[in-house]
Amino acid sequence: MRFTAMFSLPTSVTSFLADERGVIAVDFVVLTGGATAMGVATMAMMNGELGYIFEGAATDHQRRDARPSFAYAPYDPGNYDRYTAMLSTLSDHNLAIMSAWGNATRDTLDTADDEAASRFFEDFDAAITNAYSGRGQSRGTGDEYEQYDLDRVAGMLGFSQSTRPATAGG
């Protein structure tokens, strides 16, 4: 018996290997597997960065324009719930006045050094957005209001001149 004949493949195997039908399917499977492996490798590499992003969303590094309202974590949950309940009782017009005050005040307090005022504002501002959401409405972006109207609505909510933060409009 010859050496090459002893190690030769049966004709059915050689004809299978020589047949080019189905090559595209094999190529597709190999390329799809490679793309999946690249995706898994990329996610593994980005794991630390994604954790940092999610951690930042859960801490006090919150800004209204950088987070959706449903992801807001109140500084003082009790007061936040109280503010939301109070604001929900306002008419659409009076809620719009508080919204305009919040919109006008936001930029001022984003740079403020007063931690307590910033935390009050963040909770109150999110409660305004929540009150709009409870009505199935979108909060407007307007920032113009009359000081008289603000004083009137703030008084209705139980905030006296001495207990509310400084206003941007007056």
Side-chain angles (χ1 to χ4, degrees):
M1 187 174 205
R2 290 183 14 216
F3 183 78
T4 56
M6 185 160 57
F7 292 103
S8 66
L9 296 172
T11 52
S12 60
V13 174
T14 56
S15 64
F16 172 78
L17 293 175
D19 192 357
E20 293 187 14
R21 288 179 295 178
V23 171
I24 293 174
V26 172
D27 287 347
F28 180 78
V29 169
V30 170
L31 289 173
T32 304
T36 302
M38 290 285 288
V40 169
T42 301
M43 287 180 62
M45 285 181 3
M46 298 294 291
N47 189 26
E49 287 78 10
L50 290 175
Y52 178 76
I53 290 169
F54 293 136
E55 179 184 325
T59 63
D60 61 353
H61 300 308
Q62 300 178 31
R63 286 182 44 98
R64 182 176 183 274
D65 56 346
R67 58 150 166 79
S69 60
F70 63 82
Y72 181 72
Y75 293 104
D76 185 340
N79 278 336
Y80 171 74
D81 291 341
R82 188 170 58 90
Y83 301 150
T84 300
M86 289 182 340
L87 292 164
S88 296
T89 66
L90 294 177
S91 68
D92 287 347
H93 175 71
N94 289 338
L95 183 59
I97 292 168
M98 296 310 296
S99 177
W101 168 80
N103 294 340
T105 305
R106 184 175 307 112
D107 289 337
T108 304
L109 285 182
D110 281 345
T111 60
D113 290 333
D114 186 355
E115 183 78 19
S118 293
R119 287 182 178 213
F120 162 82
F121 177 77
E122 282 292 327
D123 282 352
F124 196 80
D125 193 54
I128 294 170
T129 302
N130 196 16
Y132 272 101
S133 177
R135 296 174 188 205
Q137 299 175 354
S138 295
R139 180 177 176 179
T141 58
D143 62 358
E144 293 186 19
Y145 61 90
E146 295 293 326
Q147 187 64 42
Y148 168 79
D149 288 330
L150 177 66
D151 291 340
R152 179 182 54 79
V153 176
M156 289 171 48
L157 294 174
F159 293 108
S160 68
Q161 190 70 21
S162 63
T163 60
R164 56 175 189 251
T167 60

